[in-house]
Amino acid sequence: MQRALNYLILISVIFFNFSFSQDVYLSLDGANLNYDSTSDIAGFQFNHDGCAYPASGGDAAANGFTVTGSANVVLAFSFTGSVIPAGSGTLVVLGSDECTSGSLTNYVFTNASAITLDVVFGSSE
């Protein structure tokens, strides 16, 4: 009975850790869209309500990404295959400091193998 209980606890812990793990955490600091990532980022896209146009700079530009945007979308990737290394910093500088967590939606982040990364707006701590 104890052995079965130990297995159940182990499986529950493993499930809980994998079910709620995130790869990328986003936050805002004025016009800076900051990230904290456990994975390299090879490209990203997100929607906005008009507050992020134009987006530029940050670690995306520093790592050779082409950052483009429209009135509703920001898209960034590298033509050379470079990545934003796992870590933290300013992902991009948004066109306005009026963006909120509710202004930014539909995050699509991928790694170098084109595998979608889990993204959450909030702290990794």
Side-chain angles (χ1 to χ4, degrees):
M1 179 69 175
Q2 184 61 36
R3 180 176 243 176
L5 182 59
N6 288 342
Y7 284 126
L8 181 60
I9 291 170
L10 178 63
I11 290 170
S12 297
V13 168
I14 291 171
F15 175 76
F16 180 79
N17 285 338
F18 286 111
S19 295
F20 297 101
S21 68
Q22 300 297 324
D23 297 309
V24 181
Y25 292 88
L26 299 175
S27 63
L28 285 167
D29 179 16
N32 293 337
L33 179 60
N34 297 324
Y35 70 97
D36 186 358
S37 180
T38 59
S39 298
D40 292 347
I41 300 170
F44 62 89
Q45 173 181 326
F46 58 88
N47 293 80
H48 61 91
D49 66 0
C51 67
Y53 183 77
S56 62
D59 287 349
N63 286 284
F65 279 40
T66 299
V67 180
T68 60
S70 70
N72 302 89
V73 176
V74 172
L75 172 68
F77 61 94
S78 169
F79 282 105
T80 63
S82 69
V83 298
I84 300 169
S88 60
T90 298
L91 186 63
V92 292
V93 179
L94 305 177
S96 163
D97 63 358
E98 296 178 11
C99 289
T100 65
S101 61
S103 302
L104 309 176
T105 59
N106 300 324
Y107 306 105
V108 179
F109 281 58
T110 61
N111 66 16
S113 299
I115 295 172
T116 303
L117 303 174
D118 292 325
V119 179
V120 68
F121 202 95
S123 175
S124 61
E125 298 172 4

